[in-house]
Short mmCIF file of all heavy atoms in Angstrom, two decimals:
data_model
loop_
_atom_site.label_atom_id
_atom_site.label_comp_id
_atom_site.label_asym_id
_atom_site.label_seq_id
_atom_site.Cartn_x
_atom_site.Cartn_y
_atom_site.Cartn_z
N HIS A 1384 36.60 2.22 -56.15
CA HIS A 1384 35.28 2.77 -55.86
C HIS A 1384 34.34 1.78 -55.17
O HIS A 1384 33.16 2.05 -55.01
CB HIS A 1384 34.61 3.25 -57.16
CG HIS A 1384 34.41 2.17 -58.17
ND1 HIS A 1384 35.41 1.77 -59.02
CD2 HIS A 1384 33.34 1.37 -58.43
CE1 HIS A 1384 34.97 0.80 -59.78
NE2 HIS A 1384 33.72 0.52 -59.44
N ASP A 1385 34.86 0.61 -54.75
CA ASP A 1385 33.98 -0.41 -54.18
C ASP A 1385 33.70 -0.19 -52.69
O ASP A 1385 32.71 -0.70 -52.16
CB ASP A 1385 34.55 -1.81 -54.40
CG ASP A 1385 36.00 -1.93 -53.94
OD1 ASP A 1385 36.64 -0.88 -53.78
OD2 ASP A 1385 36.49 -3.06 -53.76
N ASP A 1386 34.53 0.59 -52.01
CA ASP A 1386 34.34 0.84 -50.58
C ASP A 1386 33.96 2.32 -50.39
O ASP A 1386 34.82 3.20 -50.49
CB ASP A 1386 35.63 0.52 -49.82
CG ASP A 1386 35.49 0.75 -48.31
OD1 ASP A 1386 34.51 1.41 -47.89
OD2 ASP A 1386 36.34 0.25 -47.55
N PRO A 1387 32.68 2.61 -50.12
CA PRO A 1387 32.25 4.02 -49.99
C PRO A 1387 33.03 4.78 -48.92
O PRO A 1387 33.32 5.97 -49.10
CB PRO A 1387 30.76 3.91 -49.61
CG PRO A 1387 30.35 2.57 -50.08
CD PRO A 1387 31.54 1.68 -49.95
N HIS A 1388 33.38 4.10 -47.83
CA HIS A 1388 34.12 4.76 -46.74
C HIS A 1388 35.47 5.28 -47.25
O HIS A 1388 35.84 6.43 -47.02
CB HIS A 1388 34.32 3.75 -45.60
CG HIS A 1388 35.09 4.29 -44.44
ND1 HIS A 1388 34.53 5.14 -43.51
CD2 HIS A 1388 36.40 4.13 -44.09
CE1 HIS A 1388 35.46 5.47 -42.62
NE2 HIS A 1388 36.59 4.88 -42.94
N GLU A 1389 36.19 4.41 -47.96
CA GLU A 1389 37.49 4.81 -48.52
C GLU A 1389 37.32 5.83 -49.64
O GLU A 1389 38.10 6.77 -49.77
CB GLU A 1389 38.23 3.57 -49.05
CG GLU A 1389 38.69 2.60 -47.97
CD GLU A 1389 39.70 3.23 -47.04
OE1 GLU A 1389 40.55 4.00 -47.52
OE2 GLU A 1389 39.63 2.95 -45.82
N LEU A 1390 36.29 5.61 -50.45
CA LEU A 1390 36.06 6.49 -51.61
C LEU A 1390 35.91 7.94 -51.18
O LEU A 1390 36.51 8.85 -51.76
CB LEU A 1390 34.80 6.03 -52.35
CG LEU A 1390 34.41 6.80 -53.60
CD1 LEU A 1390 35.45 6.62 -54.69
CD2 LEU A 1390 33.04 6.33 -54.10
N LEU A 1391 35.10 8.19 -50.13
CA LEU A 1391 34.82 9.57 -49.72
C LEU A 1391 35.99 10.20 -48.96
O LEU A 1391 35.94 11.38 -48.64
CB LEU A 1391 33.55 9.62 -48.86
CG LEU A 1391 32.27 9.19 -49.59
CD1 LEU A 1391 31.05 9.30 -48.69
CD2 LEU A 1391 32.05 10.01 -50.86
N ARG A 1392 37.01 9.40 -48.70
CA ARG A 1392 38.22 9.95 -48.10
C ARG A 1392 39.35 10.14 -49.12
O ARG A 1392 40.41 10.65 -48.80
CB ARG A 1392 38.71 9.04 -46.96
CG ARG A 1392 37.98 9.34 -45.67
CD ARG A 1392 38.08 8.23 -44.65
NE ARG A 1392 37.40 8.64 -43.40
CZ ARG A 1392 36.10 8.85 -43.28
NH1 ARG A 1392 35.32 8.70 -44.32
NH2 ARG A 1392 35.57 9.23 -42.13
N SER A 1393 39.11 9.70 -50.35
CA SER A 1393 40.11 9.85 -51.40
C SER A 1393 40.33 11.34 -51.69
O SER A 1393 39.38 12.09 -51.90
CB SER A 1393 39.61 9.14 -52.66
OG SER A 1393 40.22 9.69 -53.81
N PRO A 1394 41.59 11.78 -51.74
CA PRO A 1394 41.87 13.19 -52.05
C PRO A 1394 41.26 13.64 -53.38
O PRO A 1394 40.80 14.77 -53.50
CB PRO A 1394 43.40 13.25 -52.09
CG PRO A 1394 43.86 12.10 -51.25
CD PRO A 1394 42.83 11.03 -51.43
N ASP A 1395 41.22 12.73 -54.37
CA ASP A 1395 40.63 13.08 -55.67
C ASP A 1395 39.14 13.37 -55.54
O ASP A 1395 38.62 14.31 -56.14
CB ASP A 1395 40.82 11.93 -56.67
CG ASP A 1395 42.28 11.78 -57.09
OD1 ASP A 1395 42.90 12.80 -57.41
OD2 ASP A 1395 42.78 10.65 -57.06
N VAL A 1396 38.45 12.54 -54.74
CA VAL A 1396 37.00 12.71 -54.57
C VAL A 1396 36.71 13.97 -53.75
O VAL A 1396 35.81 14.75 -54.09
CB VAL A 1396 36.38 11.46 -53.90
CG1 VAL A 1396 34.95 11.74 -53.45
CG2 VAL A 1396 36.42 10.28 -54.87
N VAL A 1397 37.49 14.16 -52.68
CA VAL A 1397 37.31 15.37 -51.85
C VAL A 1397 37.48 16.62 -52.71
O VAL A 1397 36.67 17.56 -52.66
CB VAL A 1397 38.30 15.38 -50.67
CG1 VAL A 1397 38.25 16.71 -49.94
CG2 VAL A 1397 37.98 14.23 -49.70
N ALA A 1398 38.52 16.61 -53.56
CA ALA A 1398 38.77 17.77 -54.43
C ALA A 1398 37.63 17.95 -55.43
O ALA A 1398 37.22 19.09 -55.73
CB ALA A 1398 40.10 17.59 -55.15
N LYS A 1399 37.10 16.84 -55.96
CA LYS A 1399 35.99 16.91 -56.92
C LYS A 1399 34.75 17.54 -56.28
O LYS A 1399 34.12 18.43 -56.87
CB LYS A 1399 35.66 15.50 -57.45
CG LYS A 1399 34.38 15.40 -58.27
CD LYS A 1399 34.45 16.20 -59.56
CE LYS A 1399 33.19 16.02 -60.40
NZ LYS A 1399 33.17 16.96 -61.54
N ILE A 1400 34.39 17.08 -55.08
CA ILE A 1400 33.21 17.62 -54.39
C ILE A 1400 33.42 19.10 -54.09
O ILE A 1400 32.51 19.93 -54.26
CB ILE A 1400 32.91 16.85 -53.09
CG1 ILE A 1400 32.65 15.37 -53.37
CG2 ILE A 1400 31.73 17.47 -52.35
CD1 ILE A 1400 31.39 15.08 -54.13
N GLU A 1401 34.63 19.46 -53.66
CA GLU A 1401 34.91 20.88 -53.36
C GLU A 1401 34.76 21.73 -54.62
O GLU A 1401 34.21 22.82 -54.57
CB GLU A 1401 36.31 21.02 -52.77
CG GLU A 1401 36.40 20.51 -51.33
CD GLU A 1401 37.79 20.65 -50.74
OE1 GLU A 1401 38.74 20.99 -51.49
OE2 GLU A 1401 37.92 20.43 -49.52
N ARG A 1402 35.24 21.22 -55.76
CA ARG A 1402 35.10 21.96 -57.04
C ARG A 1402 33.63 22.12 -57.40
O ARG A 1402 33.19 23.18 -57.85
CB ARG A 1402 35.84 21.24 -58.18
CG ARG A 1402 37.34 21.36 -58.13
CD ARG A 1402 37.98 21.00 -59.48
NE ARG A 1402 37.63 19.66 -59.93
CZ ARG A 1402 38.28 18.55 -59.58
NH1 ARG A 1402 39.31 18.63 -58.74
NH2 ARG A 1402 37.92 17.37 -60.06
N GLU A 1403 32.83 21.05 -57.21
CA GLU A 1403 31.40 21.10 -57.50
C GLU A 1403 30.70 22.17 -56.65
O GLU A 1403 29.92 22.98 -57.15
CB GLU A 1403 30.76 19.73 -57.23
CG GLU A 1403 31.01 18.70 -58.29
CD GLU A 1403 30.22 18.98 -59.57
OE1 GLU A 1403 29.05 19.37 -59.48
OE2 GLU A 1403 30.79 18.80 -60.65
N VAL A 1404 31.00 22.14 -55.35
CA VAL A 1404 30.36 23.08 -54.43
C VAL A 1404 30.76 24.52 -54.75
O VAL A 1404 29.90 25.40 -54.92
CB VAL A 1404 30.72 22.74 -52.96
CG1 VAL A 1404 30.27 23.84 -52.01
CG2 VAL A 1404 30.08 21.41 -52.55
N MET A 1405 32.05 24.75 -54.87
CA MET A 1405 32.52 26.12 -55.09
C MET A 1405 32.11 26.64 -56.48
O MET A 1405 31.85 27.82 -56.65
CB MET A 1405 34.05 26.21 -54.93
CG MET A 1405 34.55 25.73 -53.57
SD MET A 1405 33.61 26.37 -52.17
CE MET A 1405 34.46 27.91 -51.89
N GLY A 1406 32.00 25.73 -57.45
CA GLY A 1406 31.56 26.13 -58.79
C GLY A 1406 30.13 26.65 -58.79
O GLY A 1406 29.79 27.54 -59.58
N LYS A 1407 29.28 26.10 -57.92
CA LYS A 1407 27.89 26.56 -57.84
C LYS A 1407 27.77 27.90 -57.11
O LYS A 1407 26.73 28.55 -57.17
CB LYS A 1407 27.03 25.52 -57.10
CG LYS A 1407 26.99 24.15 -57.74
CD LYS A 1407 26.26 24.17 -59.06
CE LYS A 1407 26.18 22.78 -59.68
NZ LYS A 1407 25.73 22.81 -61.08
N LEU A 1408 28.83 28.28 -56.39
CA LEU A 1408 28.74 29.46 -55.51
C LEU A 1408 29.70 30.58 -55.94
O LEU A 1408 29.91 31.52 -55.18
CB LEU A 1408 29.08 29.05 -54.06
CG LEU A 1408 28.23 27.91 -53.47
CD1 LEU A 1408 28.71 27.58 -52.07
CD2 LEU A 1408 26.76 28.29 -53.44
N ARG A 1409 30.23 30.48 -57.15
CA ARG A 1409 31.35 31.37 -57.50
C ARG A 1409 31.00 32.85 -57.49
O ARG A 1409 31.89 33.69 -57.37
CB ARG A 1409 31.94 30.98 -58.86
CG ARG A 1409 31.00 31.10 -60.05
CD ARG A 1409 31.77 30.94 -61.37
NE ARG A 1409 32.33 29.63 -61.50
CZ ARG A 1409 31.75 28.63 -62.17
NH1 ARG A 1409 30.57 28.84 -62.76
NH2 ARG A 1409 32.31 27.46 -62.27
N ASP A 1410 29.72 33.21 -57.63
CA ASP A 1410 29.38 34.64 -57.66
C ASP A 1410 28.90 35.17 -56.31
O ASP A 1410 28.40 36.29 -56.22
CB ASP A 1410 28.33 34.92 -58.74
CG ASP A 1410 27.05 34.12 -58.53
OD1 ASP A 1410 27.08 33.13 -57.78
OD2 ASP A 1410 26.02 34.49 -59.13
N LEU A 1411 29.06 34.39 -55.24
CA LEU A 1411 28.68 34.88 -53.91
C LEU A 1411 29.70 35.90 -53.41
O LEU A 1411 30.86 35.91 -53.83
CB LEU A 1411 28.64 33.72 -52.90
CG LEU A 1411 27.51 32.69 -53.02
CD1 LEU A 1411 27.62 31.68 -51.89
CD2 LEU A 1411 26.14 33.35 -52.99
N ALA A 1412 29.26 36.73 -52.47
CA ALA A 1412 30.20 37.63 -51.79
C ALA A 1412 31.18 36.79 -50.97
O ALA A 1412 30.84 35.68 -50.53
CB ALA A 1412 29.44 38.58 -50.87
N ASN A 1413 32.37 37.30 -50.74
CA ASN A 1413 33.41 36.55 -50.05
C ASN A 1413 32.95 36.06 -48.68
O ASN A 1413 33.19 34.92 -48.28
CB ASN A 1413 34.67 37.42 -49.91
CG ASN A 1413 35.81 36.65 -49.28
OD1 ASN A 1413 36.19 35.59 -49.77
ND2 ASN A 1413 36.34 37.16 -48.17
N TYR A 1414 32.21 36.92 -47.94
CA TYR A 1414 31.81 36.53 -46.58
C TYR A 1414 30.75 35.44 -46.57
O TYR A 1414 30.54 34.77 -45.55
CB TYR A 1414 31.32 37.76 -45.79
CG TYR A 1414 29.97 38.31 -46.23
CD1 TYR A 1414 28.78 37.81 -45.71
CD2 TYR A 1414 29.89 39.35 -47.16
CE1 TYR A 1414 27.55 38.31 -46.11
CE2 TYR A 1414 28.66 39.85 -47.58
CZ TYR A 1414 27.51 39.33 -47.05
OH TYR A 1414 26.29 39.82 -47.45
N GLN A 1415 30.05 35.21 -47.72
CA GLN A 1415 29.04 34.16 -47.82
C GLN A 1415 29.62 32.81 -48.23
O GLN A 1415 28.99 31.78 -48.09
CB GLN A 1415 27.97 34.54 -48.86
CG GLN A 1415 27.19 35.80 -48.53
CD GLN A 1415 26.31 36.21 -49.70
OE1 GLN A 1415 26.78 36.39 -50.83
NE2 GLN A 1415 25.02 36.34 -49.45
#
């Protein structure tokens, strides 16, 4: 976690951010 550039490209981090985003939007219509 010491290099922000590498950190934000880590598959684990990318997956975590995607889960966070999609979790906040789970009740939206599919097209949104």
